[in-house]
Amino acid sequence: MGGIDIGIQRIVACMALVLFIVGHILATPQGALVGSRNPTLDNSSEILNFQQYGTPGENNGTYEIENGDVGTADIPTFHWDWEIRDNVPELKTFLIEQEQLQEMSSEIQQIIVDKYEPSDSYNGQRENATFLILCRNDDVFDLLQTLRLLQDRFNHHYNYDFTLLNDVPFTKDFIFLISTFIPRGRLNFGSIPPEHWSYPDHIDQERAMQARLQMDDIPYGNSDSYRHMCRYYSGFFYKHPMVRQYQYYWRIEPGVTFHCDLSYDLFKYMKTHDKKYAFAISLFEYLASIPTLWKSFKKYVNDNIHTLDNFSLQLLPLLQNDDIYESYNLCHFWTNFELADLSVFDNDQYNDFFTYLDNLGGFFYERWGDAPIHSMAVALFLNKSQIHWVNDLGYSHQPYSQCPQETQLYVDNKCTCDPDVDFSFNLLSCTSHFLKVINEDKDSG
Amino acid sequence: MGGIDIGIQRIVACMALVLFIVGHILATPQGALVGSRNPTLDNSSEILNFQQYGTPGENNGTYEIENGDVGTADIPTFHWDWEIRDNVPELKTFLIEQEQLQEMSSEIQQIIVDKYEPSDSYNGQRENATFLILCRNDDVFDLLQTLRLLQDRFNHHYNYDFTLLNDVPFTKDFIFLISTFIPRGRLNFGSIPPEHWSYPDHIDQERAMQARLQMDDIPYGNSDSYRHMCRYYSGFFYKHPMVRQYQYYWRIEPGVTFHCDLSYDLFKYMKTHDKKYAFAISLFEYLASIPTLWKSFKKYVNDNIHTLDNFSLQLLPLLQNDDIYESYNLCHFWTNFELADLSVFDNDQYNDFFTYLDNLGGFFYERWGDAPIHSMAVALFLNKSQIHWVNDLGYSHQPYSQCPQETQLYVDNKCTCDPDVDFSFNLLSCTSHFLKVINEDKDSG
């Protein structure tokens, strides 16, 4: 074990490694190494060609182009018999055909995959509800990890539908991976109309670009696509025909984590208790992203309060400080988790409010988020009893988490989060303030 | 929306935020904020006091100190009726009592929590097997996330036992969190005897410290505890009475991820197919961590080959280059995943090999890992047919992943990993070499 010995040993072992790797390259048959594997998410006409599919088995699945029943004509629909597991080739054929049709068509892509259910399932007792996911094609593996948690912790009991939206068509691989992963229910794969994801005519795009350059120091301050996303969630998602068919939606972001079992139907809870809007986490907005939003909101309230008969404004204290300035406390619901009744937004009053804001240009000249705007809608249009804080889910969207604090609940729901990282009563959270406002109503009413 | 307006708006909103936060602090009742919450994993006599437990319900659980049936006397055992969910207070009482006994005793801590099973469960058809987890108390939430995946993907079908080992006693909170999370089976919480986790007499600790200082540039090169861990997994884990009662163990590290359903009993597969050692990922060892290990191994083989009758050495090509130097190719099984028959290690021949290595001091003067040493044991003592590559699990230990490449398998097993990040046939992996060696046997034999 002397120095010379070690030196020789090192040299020999280094040579050995080089020889091994060279031999390894020469000896391995073509096609078995990473370098020669087909990329799986490319635009070729094959789907997920990491290996060839096995021989197709007998297949009872059928697919057909038919009129969708979701208020829009001619949505291509693939009907999938949930008991058949080997219909991979059939789905592949359908998806390749859809892509070819899409290339020939001026229509935007909308595809429904129906996975049939057994008659003894939860079917029929469910609420009319969907998970709502706006995402990119390359989010697919982050999304799969989130969906596995969602299925495991909640949805395997209920098999609620999924509605996935994208500003570009979903790839075949994306539809294939999500469709094969979710075992039951309906999967809506929708494209967003270009007019809902582009600059409106009144926007000065040069001024918008200058604004982005000046906001480089706040999160997404220089992002164009983030602004379209915020505007889409503020004023358009509820107009999509695939979303509009449902009463409730539960917004999911790829990559979020669910830490606890949810052993009851949260949608049914909303219905039974007449809740319209549920949140998990709240926090303060970056002031630099919304310099003129509050002033604009206040003007709207002042101009419209006497003409709109259902403005109770009992939830205005969620957002407005009790001071002579009637200033904004910067609080908002963190909308990456959001479970709501679509009617909160899909109505003339909210559309009027959104149009007013949109015409001011703050989505592009500043960086108005859908979170403060949804929070303003709640403050304008809802009553205290209609808000629900989901505090038993165990929910993380980096860097913040909600984790149950009650031991028996934590244990019964098989939580895995660290209770000490719970953000709910952190000084940067608005949840204790929100609960105070909501419960004052309860106490006084 | 002019510059002055925005300036004033900013000032007002800033003041508003300050006023809100100050008001928030003053208005919130003591006890509801993070700052005043009890730390949950401290050494106080309470367990997980994030809130008070509810009133205990009727409780059919019993606990008693009895002779364990695991080959060691007087292991305190808590028997838990699996149908009773509200026995949190009873477990708490048991754990507090155990801690008090521990403080008065010179015995090292060993606790068994038995969660009874229904008679119609998998009980009786299981192999005699356990999950084996060496971890620290503060790994508990990383471990819970891993256990949830393991239960969801595999163990909820079978309810195999868990054996958790630590070089210091597990805290009450750790035992509480793991015991309440795992719904069925036996949980062994064991402490490691100090003589298995300390410097043997023949080690020059000053020289060991110098070696650590000089190895700062390789992973864990300067770590003392990592060396004890490697030595423990090399020569002691199979001597722990809680481990020794089982035929098979499946090693789990806190924080690892399982990406696919495993819909068959992997332990039973090992038994049925007479497999002794299973791996998921392989790779090259850092040469700087083992400068003299291969020379020492070769000397041992040369000195013992004629006296040991079961050295078939047919697996030596796993590790040895086919060159005139008979050099080490640096390949090893990545032992953070390891599923093996305990008899591979728990026998006189392996003990003799380990004692030989231990006396050379390389665990401390270099940084010998359990991975190359286990790989050497496989090469010495096993036949080609006894090795199994687990390629359908979808397994990640940062930064490497195994992800199934066959589409139908990926779909059927509900995988969520990105097939493109699979490490199996990466140039830094030894798996294709290992498979070549193992399958040559099959082809020729």
Side-chain angles (χ1 to χ4, degrees), chain A residues 50 148-149 152-153 291 405, chain B residues 50 148-149 152-153 405:
Chain A
F50 22 88
R148 201 190 53 72
L149 295 174
D152 175 30
R153 291 304 202 169
Q405 297 294 299
Chain B
F50 22 88
R148 200 189 53 72
L149 295 173
D152 175 30
R153 292 303 201 170
Q405 297 295 298

Side-chain angles (χ1 to χ4, degrees), chain A residues 65-319:
Chain A
I65 310 297
E66 59 169 28
N67 279 339
D69 56 355
V70 296
T72 184
D74 298 327
I75 294 184
T77 303
F78 181 85
H79 290 293
W80 187 316
D81 186 330
W82 71 277
E83 286 191 291
I84 305 300
R85 298 175 74 192
D86 62 356
N87 50 8
V88 163
E90 184 115 1
L91 182 61
K92 180 180 164 183
T93 304
F94 170 78
L95 292 174
I96 291 173
E97 198 170 302
Q98 278 314 303
E99 189 176 67
Q100 289 163 350
L101 286 173
Q102 176 69 26
E103 284 166 3
M104 294 183 293
S105 164
S106 61
E107 298 287 312
I108 59 167
Q109 184 199 49
Q110 317 287 2
I111 289 177
I112 295 172
V113 174
D114 259 332
K115 305 192 84 162
Y116 297 159
E117 292 169 79
S119 57
D120 61 347
S121 82
Y122 196 69
N123 194 6
Q125 303 168 48
R126 277 194 299 262
E127 296 306 319
N128 182 25
T130 186
F131 298 104
L132 175 63
I133 304 164
L134 173 64
C135 65
R136 299 191 184 91
N137 285 302
D138 60 8
D139 289 328
V140 67
F141 296 108
D142 283 344
L143 181 56
L144 282 175
Q145 308 242 2
T146 291
L147 293 185
R148 201 190 53 72
L149 295 174
L150 184 65
Q151 290 292 118
D152 175 30
R153 291 304 202 169
F154 173 74
N155 197 45
H156 75 278
H157 294 304
Y158 310 108
N159 301 308
Y160 275 106
D161 295 354
F162 287 84
T163 302
L164 302 107
L165 302 178
N166 195 339
D167 62 309
V168 301
F170 283 113
T171 61
K172 301 184 300 300
D173 282 354
F174 184 98
I175 298 173
F176 176 85
L177 284 166
I178 303 298
S179 298
T180 51
F181 185 79
I182 301 295
R184 310 267 190 286
R186 169 169 285 192
L187 304 163
N188 305 289
F189 296 93
S191 286
I192 293 171
E195 61 270 25
H196 292 176
W197 194 278
S198 51
Y199 287 95
D201 291 340
H202 67 272
I203 292 296
D204 175 349
Q205 294 193 35
E206 173 63 25
R207 182 180 161 194
M209 193 186 69
Q210 291 302 326
R212 291 199 297 278
L213 292 174
Q214 287 166 18
M215 295 176 77
D216 203 26
D217 55 343
I218 63 167
Y220 307 105
N222 62 4
S223 169
D224 189 39
S225 63
Y226 187 81
R227 284 177 168 78
H228 287 293
M229 186 272 281
C230 289
R231 183 169 174 260
Y232 187 77
Y233 264 127
S234 295
F236 298 102
F237 76 98
Y238 53 85
K239 294 169 184 158
H240 196 290
M242 285 179 154
V243 179
R244 209 169 204 167
Q245 63 184 321
Y246 298 100
Q247 179 180 3
Y248 297 105
Y249 68 92
W250 174 342
R251 178 171 159 186
I252 307 276
E253 295 279 310
V256 302
T257 308
F258 303 101
H259 292 287
C260 305
D261 289 346
L262 203 59
S263 53
Y264 60 93
D265 183 344
L266 186 52
F267 291 114
K268 193 167 285 298
Y269 177 92
M270 298 289 284
K271 181 80 151 196
T272 306
H273 294 81
D274 198 25
K275 301 290 184 186
K276 298 284 188 188
Y277 191 90
F279 72 102
I281 292 175
S282 71
L283 78 166
F284 293 108
E285 184 54 288
Y286 289 90
L287 177 58
S289 71
I290 50 160
T292 67
L293 177 59
W294 182 253
K295 188 179 67 174
S296 307
F297 170 75
K298 290 293 288 182
K299 180 171 187 311
Y300 185 83
V301 174
N302 287 333
D303 290 352
N304 290 275
I305 193 155
H306 301 300
T307 60
L308 296 170
D309 55 6
N310 66 342
F311 279 15
S312 80
L313 296 184
Q314 64 172 245
L315 283 173
L316 203 56
L318 290 176
L319 309 183

Side-chain angles (χ1 to χ4, degrees), chain A residues 369-388:
Chain A
D370 55 279
I373 290 171
H374 282 206
S375 302
M376 287 167 177
V378 167
L380 279 183
F381 302 117
L382 298 188
N383 297 320
K384 294 179 178 182
S385 66
Q386 294 171 317
I387 314 299
H388 176 55

